[in-house]
Amino acid sequence: MSSRAQVLFQVGAWAWVVTGIGHLALNALLLRRPATPAKTAVLGAMRAHRMTMMGLSRDLLGLFRGFSVAMGLVLALHGAVCVLAAPALAALAAVVALNAAVSLALLAIAVRAFPPPPIVTMLVATACFGAALVVG
């Protein structure tokens, strides 16, 4: 593995960290925003709609917020693990390929559903992990 591949791997991993932290920060900011009548109506409807899964009843708002926070944490923490263990992980083509594939899938989702910041960070991650595979 070349040092160039390791740097590319680390940049891709940092893109994941930035995306995850940005996602968590945005969640926190949105919770603090004053409620408009439309927001109040939507949040009320989400609270009113309950789902039972495996014996547990949850409202849609709780599920939405829970999945959102979990996604941000997983992305930030997995990215941090990759940054910290980059010398070992960047040398494993299977790990680099998996990170490239996950980044590409997240990029496709971001293009369809999210605003520009995660599109850019997932584009960076995909390009860096893919390039790390090529130069590795």
Side-chain angles (χ1 to χ4, degrees):
M1 172 212 45
S2 71
S3 62
R4 189 167 170 208
Q6 183 177 329
V7 169
L8 287 164
F9 184 88
Q10 286 176 307
V11 172
W14 273 112
W16 283 10
V17 171
V18 167
T19 306
I21 290 172
H23 186 78
L24 293 170
L26 182 62
N27 273 300
L29 287 172
L30 290 176
L31 286 174
R32 298 177 54 91
R33 286 179 67 180
T36 63
K39 181 180 175 180
T40 301
V42 169
L43 295 179
M46 290 176 81
R47 280 188 194 98
H49 183 76
R50 298 196 68 80
M51 299 175 66
T52 301
M53 296 179 294
M54 296 185 222
L56 297 174
S57 179
R58 300 286 187 256
D59 66 62
L60 192 56
L61 182 59
L63 286 170
F64 175 79
R65 287 183 174 159
F67 282 128
S68 188
V69 169
M71 182 269 192
L73 279 172
V74 167
L75 199 54
L77 295 177
H78 180 72
V81 167
C82 287
V83 167
L84 294 171
L89 295 178
L92 300 172
V95 171
V96 181
L98 180 62
N99 283 1
V102 169
S103 293
L104 183 60
L106 291 173
L107 174 61
I109 293 166
V111 165
R112 297 243 335 138
F114 300 143
I119 295 170
V120 171
T121 56
M122 287 304 101
L123 183 60
V124 168
T126 302
C128 287
F129 289 130
L133 267 176
V134 172
V135 302

